[in-house]
Amino acid sequence: MVDEGVTATDEVEMTAFDDDLGVGDAAGPAWRSPVAWVGAILLFLVASGGPVFWARAELADVTVPLVSDIWVQAVLVVAAGLVLAFSGDALELLRLDKLALGSLGAFLVILLLSAAWSLDGTRTVEQWILLAFASAAALFGGASLDRGQVLTALFVAVHIGIAISAFSDLRDWPIAIVGDDLAGVFGSTDLMGMVALLAAATTVMLMVVVLRRTPEERLAIAEEKAARGGGGGFRMPSMLTINKMRRAATMAQRGQPMGGGGKSMTPRSPGQAMQYRTMARGRRRRAGRLAKVRSSALLRLGITALLVGVLVLDGFLWWRSQSYGALFAVAATAVVMLVVGLSLPGAGEGGRRAAAGVVSVLAAAGVVLLIVFRETVADWFDRDGTWSGRTTLWDGVLDVVGDRPIHGFGFEAGTGVAGFGTRSGFLQVLLAAGAIGLIALVWLMLLVLRRAASAAIMRPDPLGVWVVGMAAYGIAANVNESFVSAWSLPWLLLVFALGHAVARREARFDDVTL
């Protein structure tokens, strides 16, 4: 459906109007979006660092790090190329937010410039090219794919690794076990735990989408309550509201979405108008398919049961990994999503925003207590006070950074002089590009979070909050792990969120599928 207030009759009329315009084929091939979706799956699959790396290692002996292997790099390039080639006219929308594009571009340029003084200039340029290519694909994919497509692409990608890892645990593959804990095909228990928790989060979000009541169901419930005399607050919409909804739907078909103040936004180019029409038709088709799932109680029950089983598997594999590092990122993301969800406009907005303030204060207090009593908390999880050596590593990185505090040692080359990893994306960038790079990264992350929250407020629904969660996870995961690279799911999710938020903010045209 196109809008919660648009009736089936309106949809038929708008479809006829659209067909009369002859935009069905002119708006672009129907397979363009599915191909970009497949590319997104492959991109997430490579970035997860599991199945593709494992398959390459099994096929042949690799004498170089897998991220430097030409065949693994080729898979990443193909995946990013598919998304870029079939992402439609996303650039038409993205280029309108010069601040967002400039912030991402400035950060990437700083990393590229670090090659001039890098300890390993060749590696810096090589990995930077891959990072820039993957980031561009994520940005364009976020702008062209709707939120449901990104969610399902992530769900499929991470669960491919989950399924292979579960099989490896069942068959007792030597490579899958580190000590007594499960690493699966991801090479480390920390990465296994991170992917398992991320898989669980996507599964929960899909359950929300499947179980969420449709607008028609909510309207029917309100009418039934009103008929019984039980109230329910049902009111017939005014003619002004009905006419406004009809006008918004018709203008969306013409490629003229309604702005925030109710004024039309005329497409700035023929390409942008074509993109609006393509988005409207494609999402209406997907809305129809989802409506069939939601209208069948048996089918909905079956899908829910299947997703519950998948969720149990995700949780079991996380427990088998005995990795608690990713818990912080998931908890922080959940808090941000809760605060944003409570702050959305709607009924009871004042009370919900007050609750959001309370949650924010409690979360901040929790972080302070975690820092003060970190050794006690570590004992609860059977860890030492250094959190698996992280604090020791961070002290060492800060000592090394003192030699080049402004410009660093070069992207993906700093660990060579440090002699160890950083276990933090922020320290990774500080070591690679100095204070200049760190400032650019923090600015970019805060901008993405703000843009995502703005897009969620424009269209308040669960998937809008989920996009905010993508941005928050990309930030939180980099606190205690290094995830600023082409081979990183948190980084790609952060850039996907930026692409989606910018496109929706500029177009004033949001998803109509979910």
Side-chain angles (χ1 to χ4, degrees):
M1 76 196 68
V2 177
D3 194 282
E4 293 189 2
V6 179
T7 66
T9 304
D10 292 330
E11 273 201 57
V12 172
E13 292 174 352
M14 289 183 295
T15 303
F17 175 78
D18 201 16
D19 291 338
D20 290 340
L21 287 178
V23 300
D25 296 328
W31 43 265
R32 170 177 289 175
S33 182
V35 173
W37 179 74
V38 171
I41 293 176
L42 190 56
L43 187 62
F44 285 139
L45 191 63
V46 178
S48 69
V52 174
F53 287 8
W54 164 76
R56 174 57 180 152
E58 288 294 313
L59 290 174
D61 293 331
V62 182
T63 58
V64 297
L66 285 169
V67 296
S68 299
D69 180 72
I70 187 65
W71 293 105
V72 174
Q73 293 177 350
V75 176
L76 177 67
V77 170
V78 169
L82 282 176
V83 177
L84 287 170
F86 298 101
S87 57
D89 300 305
L91 185 60
E92 295 287 342
L93 293 175
L94 291 173
R95 69 179 183 179
L96 299 177
D97 192 337
K98 295 181 175 58
L99 179 60
L101 285 188
S103 299
L104 177 60
F107 175 68
L108 292 176
V109 168
I110 290 172
L111 295 185
L112 176 61
L113 291 177
S114 70
W117 54 81
S118 174
L119 300 178
D120 188 346
T122 301
R123 176 177 172 79
T124 294
V125 173
E126 172 192 272
Q127 293 300 316
W128 181 89
I129 292 174
L130 295 172
L131 173 65
F133 202 43
S135 298
L139 186 68
F140 277 64
S144 61
L145 297 174
D146 64 45
R147 300 167 302 180
Q149 288 177 306
V150 176
L151 175 63
T152 52
L154 180 62
F155 176 84
V156 172
V158 294
H159 280 95
I160 290 175
I162 289 293
I164 300 175
S165 296
F167 183 77
S168 69
D169 187 30
L170 184 65
R171 303 301 299 176
D172 293 325
W173 290 359
I175 64 168
I177 306 297
V178 176
D180 294 326
D181 302 330
L182 179 67
V185 295
F186 295 95
S188 74
T189 56
D190 285 337
L191 193 55
M192 177 74 247
M194 185 272 286
V195 173
L197 285 177
L198 188 58
T202 59
T203 303
V204 170
M205 194 65 235
L206 274 180
M207 291 175 65
V208 170
V209 170
V210 171
L211 294 177
R212 184 184 176 215
R213 285 176 176 153
T214 65
E216 288 82 0
E217 289 172 330
R218 293 196 293 270
L219 180 61
I221 291 173
E223 290 176 330
E224 183 179 355
K225 287 183 178 180
R228 292 200 307 262
F234 173 72
R235 295 181 302 172
M236 284 297 294
S238 65
M239 288 305 299
L240 178 63
T241 302
I242 294 175
N243 290 335
K244 183 177 179 181
M245 290 187 294
R246 287 173 180 265
R247 179 168 173 262
T250 302
M251 295 185 72
Q253 297 301 308
R254 292 177 177 175
Q256 296 178 334
M258 297 288 289
K263 298 179 180 179
S264 66
M265 292 188 63
T266 303
R268 296 172 174 84
S269 68
Q272 191 177 94
M274 185 176 295
Q275 184 184 15
Y276 289 160
R277 293 193 294 266
T278 304
M279 291 164 66
R281 288 177 63 84
R283 286 167 180 160
R284 190 168 62 245
R285 287 193 297 268
R286 289 190 291 274
R289 291 195 293 267
L290 185 62
K292 291 180 180 179
V293 173
R294 286 171 166 166
S295 62
S296 171
L298 183 61
L299 185 58
R300 188 188 303 191
L301 179 63
I303 293 177
T304 302
L306 177 63
L307 291 177
V308 169
V310 172
L311 182 61
V312 171
L313 176 62
D314 296 336
F316 174 74
L317 292 189
W318 169 75
W319 177 79
R320 283 283 290 115
S321 73
Q322 290 294 295
S323 173
Y324 301 104
L327 278 178
F328 169 79
V330 172
T333 300
V335 170
V336 172
M337 293 176 67
L338 178 60
V339 170
V340 172
L342 291 173
S343 303
L344 295 178
E349 181 178 347
R352 288 189 289 104
R353 290 197 172 184
V358 173
V359 172
S360 301
V361 172
L362 292 177
V367 171
V368 173
L369 292 175
L370 179 63
I371 295 174
V372 174
F373 299 102
R374 63 179 181 274
E375 293 187 2
T376 302
V377 175
D379 290 338
W380 293 347
F381 292 99
D382 195 24
R383 296 291 189 271
D384 57 46
T386 65
W387 286 97
S388 301
R390 283 180 175 84
T391 57
T392 303
L393 287 177
W394 297 342
D395 288 339
V397 170
L398 292 175
D399 289 339
V400 173
V401 166
D403 295 333
R404 292 187 180 182
I406 305 299
H407 56 285
F409 296 89
F411 178 59
E412 293 289 352
T415 53
V417 67
F420 42 71
T422 58
R423 301 298 294 269
S424 170
F426 296 98
L427 291 182
Q428 173 194 4
V429 172
L430 181 63
L431 186 64
I436 298 175
L438 180 60
I439 293 172
L441 175 66
V442 172
W443 167 262
L444 174 64
M445 287 181 166
L446 293 178
L447 181 66
V448 174
L449 193 59
R450 181 178 178 181
R451 290 288 191 267
S454 176
I457 291 173
M458 287 173 57
R459 178 66 183 259
D461 61 9
L463 279 178
V465 178
W466 179 74
V467 173
V468 177
M470 289 170 57
Y473 183 78
I475 298 171
N478 274 288
V479 171
N480 60 351
E481 290 293 349
S482 303
F483 285 131
V484 181
S485 74
W487 317 96
S488 162
L489 275 177
W491 174 258
L492 291 185
L493 290 177
L494 181 75
V495 183
F496 261 101
L498 176 62
H500 170 83
V502 168
R504 300 307 176 263
R505 178 174 178 269
E506 293 301 326
R508 306 295 197 274
F509 183 82
D510 213 337
D511 301 311
V512 297
T513 51
L514 304 172

